[in-house]
Amino acid sequence: MTNEATEITYNEDYYHTLLSIGEECIDESNLQKLLTAKEHFIAYDGFEPSGRMHIAQGIFKAVNVNKITSCGGTFVFWVADWFALMNDKMGGDLAKIAIVGEYLQHVWKSAGMDGIDDPEKVRFILCSDAITKEADAYWTQVLDVARRFNLTRIQKCCQIMGRLENSLSGAQILYPLMQCADVFFLKTDVCQLGKDQRKVNALALEYCNKIKRKNKPVILSHHMLMGLKAGQEKMSKSDPDSAIFMEDSNEDVIRKINNAYCPLTIVEGEIPSNNDDLKNPCLDYIEHILFNTPNFTFVVNEAEGKSYDAYSPLFHDFVNSKISVDELKTALAKHLNLLLDPVRQHFTNDERAKELLNLVQQYKREDKNKKKEVKFEHCPLPNGVEARTHVIVLPDVNPLVSYSQIMTVSAAIRKQSSANEKVTLLVPDWSSFTINSLLDKKTIQSYYDVFLWGLEVLGKVDMTTLQIVTQSTMILSHPSEYWLTVMNAGRALSLAEVMMEDLDGQSSSGCVVARLMHIADVMTLQPMSVTYSVDLLNEVRTLESLITKFNERVVSSTSTSKSLQLTFLKTPVIDLRLKAEREINDVASYEYYLNDAANCAKSKMRKSFCEPGNVSFCPVIEFVKAFCGSEFKIVRKEENGGDVVYSLGGSSSTECNELSKLVDDFKRESLHPGDLKNSMATVMLDVMTDVEKGSKSNKSISNALKCLKAFDKKVTKAGKKK
């Protein structure tokens, strides 16, 4: 038995049929390659279940889907319920949004969409269900898109929601990120959306370039039907007279068409060459709705035998006054009603369809008068994880794990543990991924493995007393509830509020997403207190403000939830910098790091800043406090005063006296910087020798440190390119 590849014969008719769908195709050569490479392909469009369906969504889409399935394509309808939630449709009620989605399927079925019951031809995929089933793949895709584009680029795409850039909520920045990710999550070959979606489709192509993906989707963008009123470039669902809707009565259609804008000329005496110049919505309906249906003939006057099998001669005769405005409108209304009659009959005779239509109309009435409300339900914790603990958030991933970071977090742990209360370490692996486009899962895992190991071997923390929660585990245990919390946090906060003053248009979109994730983390863990680590200190004020606002605006106002009683703790940083300022090309000598070899202990300490008498910034004294335990011995020659031992005495009162004496001696310059540094260098050699032995004897940590070393080189190389 042989596995010979089936040769695919390129079909020129399929190519032209597919091109006829799009007013714009990016790019045609890729479409030809697709038809040569694949006998069956996937096309997709996402629709937001937001209420009434206009005729372009109904008839126009049904015809285009039929063209695609006739050419061997499978059309995927992405039922974007979460997108409707982010756009505040149906009051953000997912149950109502699901009803609207079912209603729309009935419309398409009755409008003549072929293969609607055949999953090989047409598939309806509920966004929330599909994403929850493959949460890891989907959300990491979204986060990857977020971290590769700045906010200015993403905000330009937000017109797809009909929103101005300066009126966005925090959640609405997620919309284009998710829509871009949908293309790849659904393994789409052809994006068959309207021209109003071109910016987010272009984003998908730009993303392919950024990740060096060769197989790019074909963008096949259909025409956007004009509004029926003068000056309306597109229809508006908020203006019922701007469009024909699929449930409009016979009388509604006649009235709307009779009132429609229908010019003969642009400038009196000049005959227009096409409708792009004339902008006549009646002609637009005739060209793109009626003549887009198979084997259509436009009958102007049956008694006189005046009819047209193509649009161009009809346009020519109309602008040359061979067809009057009244004749055109009367015939147009009649033909539209003939197209809509099967839909009306379906919603009259099918009990479920009738029920759905009544519900949708009821929801629209309620939504119109209802004040915006963000509902909140707590995201459950993973099994075995306790709530109401003291949460310490670990730093975001860096190439190097510094002694300052380890000792600061260790001090925070000891401070909270001394009260005999449970401490939780939150590992922010996914938010780290979101803000750094160079990171991959292996590097993130390596960083936090090293960090937790460092807390034990360097910080001397008893790890068995701690609850360690990884952000990704928390998310993936209840992905739907977690991301709904993220979205609701974004709905309650404007984008400007989330950005605060420290983010601008050039900032990564991932920074906004990460902040919303931090809100969801806190709301999920329900802590008594939160402490942010050294690398997040600049974020503390921002995150505290955002979490407090969400807590007050949403949680406390929801009858089913109690406001979270929460304290934000600010742990003093144990500053173990060796120099006051970091030199760009000398990061290695700025601090001690867990991947340092023990033999650099003395050389680093001897190069550290240690100005005679300067105790306002003296790194060596900070090292004495952090690593010298019960005593610190200064070794020096007899002529320089001989050896001296400072008793640091643990928790006794002697500690303050002896440490104060050391500081005072240094301030009075009776303790020389050279003697202080040499003695501390000996202590650090012992400390670093133990750390180095520990890493070499632990294969997983040794491999993790190698991974971080490779990441450091990658970061350095990327920095040089900039």
Side-chain angles (χ1 to χ4, degrees):
M1 186 176 178
T2 60
N3 291 322
E4 295 181 3
T6 304
E7 186 175 338
I8 298 170
T9 303
Y10 172 71
N11 190 315
E12 187 74 15
D13 289 339
Y14 284 1
Y15 172 71
H16 288 293
T17 298
L18 292 172
L19 274 187
S20 73
I21 294 170
E23 192 166 79
E24 179 180 73
C25 178
I26 309 174
D27 63 28
E28 294 180 17
S29 62
N30 268 354
L31 180 59
Q32 290 174 321
K33 289 177 185 176
L34 173 65
L35 293 174
T36 303
K38 287 188 174 184
E39 187 175 2
H40 302 289
F41 60 90
I42 293 175
Y44 115 100
D45 189 0
F47 70 93
E48 192 182 288
S50 56
R52 307 177 72 189
M53 181 189 283
H54 54 65
I55 197 166
Q57 250 187 324
I59 301 295
F60 194 27
K61 177 54 71 177
V63 171
N64 286 342
V65 169
N66 291 347
K67 288 181 179 180
I68 286 170
T69 56
S70 71
C71 295
T74 297
F75 201 95
V76 173
F77 280 97
W78 187 235
V79 187
D81 53 346
W82 273 358
F83 291 77
L85 171 74
M86 286 184 284
N87 224 358
D88 286 319
K89 299 298 172 66
M90 294 295 154
D93 188 323
L94 284 172
K96 290 181 178 179
I97 291 168
I99 290 291
V100 177
E102 187 184 350
Y103 154 75
L104 297 180
Q105 292 180 47
H106 275 266
V107 174
W108 279 313
K109 186 172 184 178
S110 59
M113 186 180 289
D114 299 332
I116 202 165
D117 295 319
D118 181 358
E120 292 300 312
K121 290 187 174 182
V122 178
R123 295 179 199 159
F124 289 91
I125 301 177
L126 188 63
C127 157
S128 56
D129 284 352
I131 290 172
T132 300
K133 286 175 185 174
E134 296 184 65
D136 193 351
Y138 182 81
W139 288 111
T140 50
Q141 180 78 74
V142 172
L143 300 181
D144 191 44
V145 175
R147 66 186 184 157
R148 292 179 189 274
F149 292 96
N150 65 32
L151 283 164
T152 296
R153 180 64 184 88
I154 298 303
Q155 283 177 277
K156 287 179 180 177
C157 295
C158 290
Q159 293 171 358
I160 59 179
M161 301 176 288
R163 307 286 178 177
L164 298 174
E165 290 181 27
N166 59 1
S167 64
L168 296 172
S169 71
Q172 284 164 338
I173 209 74
L174 287 166
Y175 198 113
L177 298 174
M178 291 172 65
Q179 190 171 338
C180 180
D182 293 343
V183 175
F184 307 100
F185 179 69
L186 295 170
K187 298 178 174 59
T188 302
D189 299 303
V190 177
C191 297
Q192 206 291 282
L193 294 83
K195 280 186 73 176
D196 60 335
Q197 310 290 307
R198 67 194 306 175
K199 287 184 179 178
V200 79
N201 285 333
L203 187 76
L205 297 179
E206 288 175 41
Y207 177 71
C208 289
N209 292 335
K210 285 180 179 289
I211 63 172
K212 296 179 172 56
R213 174 182 170 131
K214 293 182 179 179
N215 295 325
K216 298 178 182 179
V218 175
I219 310 300
L220 203 57
S221 303
H222 62 248
H223 174 77
M224 298 302 296
L225 212 61
M226 296 177 192
L228 291 174
K229 295 182 178 180
Q232 290 184 326
E233 291 191 3
K234 59 180 285 190
M235 297 173 294
S236 169
K237 289 182 182 178
S238 62
D239 180 358
D241 286 334
S242 74
I244 302 298
F245 291 89
M246 296 300 290
E247 74 273 18
D248 278 350
S249 67
N250 188 83
E251 293 74 19
D252 286 333
V253 173
I254 293 171
R255 175 182 57 80
K256 289 181 182 183
I257 295 300
N258 283 340
N259 293 333
Y261 178 61
C262 191
L264 273 167
T265 59
I266 307 166
V267 178
E268 192 172 346
E270 291 185 15
I271 297 175
S273 59
N274 57 63
N275 201 33
D276 291 341
D277 298 326
L278 187 59
K279 299 190 184 305
N280 183 321
C282 294
L283 291 173
D284 202 41
Y285 269 55
I286 292 168
E287 179 182 9
H288 293 285
I289 298 293
L290 299 182
F291 276 108
N292 202 34
T293 56
N295 306 314
F296 176 74
T297 299
F298 189 88
V299 179
V300 178
N301 190 316
E302 196 169 353
E304 296 179 6
K306 189 188 290 187
S307 62
Y308 298 86
D309 293 328
Y311 170 74
S312 292
L314 183 149
F315 176 84
H316 178 270
D317 283 0
F318 176 72
V319 296
N320 284 281
S321 300
K322 293 180 180 180
I323 303 171
S324 70
V325 171
D326 287 344
E327 283 181 312
L328 188 83
K329 286 186 173 184
T330 300
L332 171 58
K334 182 178 179 180
H335 284 295
L336 290 175
N337 273 319
L338 287 172
L339 280 178
L340 293 175
D341 274 343
V343 180
R344 294 179 187 129
Q345 290 172 17
H346 179 74
F347 280 91
T348 300
N349 300 326
D350 187 292
E351 290 301 319
R352 179 56 179 165
K354 189 189 302 183
E355 180 187 5
L356 289 168
L357 177 57
N358 289 334
L359 284 171
V360 170
Q361 290 173 337
Q362 175 189 326
Y363 296 160
K364 290 299 288 183
R365 288 192 299 270
E366 292 171 353
D367 195 38
K368 188 175 181 180
N369 301 315
K370 192 173 182 181
K371 184 181 177 182
K372 175 187 169 183
E373 180 184 352
V374 179
K375 295 183 178 180
F376 175 74
E377 293 183 9
H378 288 297
C379 172
L381 283 163
N383 290 335
V385 174
E386 294 179 34
R388 303 302 292 159
T389 66
H390 294 284
V391 172
I392 298 172
V393 184
L394 297 188
D396 292 321
V397 174
N398 280 298
L400 303 169
V401 183
S402 73
Y403 279 33
S404 291
Q405 292 173 314
I406 294 295
M407 299 308 288
T408 297
V409 174
S410 300
I413 293 170
R414 273 190 283 274
K415 181 179 178 181
Q416 296 303 323
S417 300
S418 63
N420 293 321
E421 291 178 324
K422 192 81 171 181
V423 173
T424 296
L425 296 185
L426 176 61
V427 177
D429 53 343
W430 273 22
S431 53
S432 284
F433 177 84
T434 308
I435 61 175
N436 190 331
S437 62
L438 296 176
L439 280 173
D440 56 33
K441 289 184 178 180
K442 181 181 177 183
T443 303
I444 293 170
Q445 182 69 51
S446 296
Y447 176 83
Y448 288 115
D449 284 348
V450 168
F451 200 100
L452 294 171
W453 172 79
L455 291 176
E456 185 173 15
V457 299
L458 184 66
K460 307 302 180 185
V461 173
D462 182 359
M463 302 300 284
T464 62
T465 64
L466 305 177
Q467 176 173 257
I468 300 172
V469 178
T470 305
Q471 191 183 40
S472 57
T473 301
M474 183 168 66
I475 293 170
L476 294 175
S477 67
H478 297 91
S480 179
E481 293 88 344
Y482 179 88
W483 288 104
L484 283 174
T485 305
V486 172
M487 291 175 196
N488 282 327
R491 290 175 66 211
L493 299 162
S494 71
L495 177 59
E497 285 179 308
V498 180
M499 290 174 67
M500 302 275 301
E501 294 179 358
D502 58 324
L503 298 183
D504 58 25
Q506 295 307 305
S507 303
S508 166
S509 299
C511 295
V512 167
V513 179
R515 286 180 177 179
L516 296 177
M517 290 171 69
H518 281 302
I519 296 172
D521 294 339
V522 171
M523 291 299 125
T524 301
L525 288 167
Q526 294 286 293
M528 290 187 286
S529 71
V530 178
T531 304
Y532 288 102
S533 299
V534 60
D535 281 11
L536 285 173
L537 285 177
N538 292 332
E539 284 276 273
V540 170
R541 189 173 300 170
T542 296
L543 293 173
E544 182 176 346
S545 172
L546 295 177
I547 292 166
T548 302
K549 285 178 181 177
F550 179 68
N551 197 22
E552 291 173 351
R553 292 178 188 176
V554 179
V555 183
S556 59
S557 63
T558 304
S559 58
T560 56
S561 303
K562 292 182 179 179
S563 180
L564 178 61
Q565 302 302 309
L566 174 65
T567 303
F568 291 91
L569 301 179
K570 297 176 177 61
T571 298
V573 176
I574 296 180
D575 189 352
L576 302 180
R577 294 173 297 159
L578 295 169
K579 299 178 181 180
E581 293 182 5
R582 184 183 304 216
E583 297 172 21
I584 295 174
N585 297 320
D586 192 21
V587 175
S589 66
Y590 180 69
E591 285 197 65
Y592 284 106
Y593 302 99
L594 284 182
N595 63 339
D596 283 343
N599 60 17
C600 75
K602 291 188 175 182
S603 61
K604 276 196 172 188
M605 185 59 67
R606 286 169 182 157
K607 292 177 184 177
S608 68
F609 181 86
C610 193
E611 186 179 53
N614 183 350
V615 294
S616 61
F617 179 70
C618 184
V620 187
I621 292 177
E622 296 303 317
F623 275 83
V624 172
K625 296 176 186 176
F627 293 105
C628 287
S630 60
E631 65 176 32
F632 176 52
K633 184 177 182 180
I634 297 290
V635 178
R636 58 188 176 187
K637 296 178 180 179
E638 285 297 327
E639 59 265 32
N640 293 330
D643 296 350
V644 60
V645 176
Y646 294 95
S647 176
L648 305 178
S651 59
S652 68
S653 59
T654 311
E655 178 183 0
C656 297
N657 294 334
E658 294 289 84
L659 185 58
S660 298
K661 185 175 184 301
L662 183 149
V663 173
D664 190 53
D665 286 350
F666 186 76
K667 187 176 182 180
R668 291 186 294 106
E669 299 187 26
S670 60
L671 177 56
H672 191 273
D675 295 328
L676 179 61
K677 289 201 285 187
N678 285 335
S679 300
M680 192 62 223
T682 302
V683 174
M684 290 310 298
L685 178 61
D686 292 339
V687 170
M688 294 179 70
T689 298
D690 289 343
V691 170
E692 187 175 55
K693 286 180 180 177
S695 66
K696 287 181 177 178
S697 64
N698 187 324
K699 188 175 180 180
S700 65
I701 295 301
S702 178
N703 289 336
L705 286 168
K706 289 177 184 176
C707 179
L708 291 182
K709 185 176 181 180
F711 177 57
D712 188 28
K713 290 181 180 178
K714 185 177 180 182
V715 171
T716 302
K717 185 177 179 180
K720 287 179 179 178
K721 286 183 178 180
K722 289 181 181 179

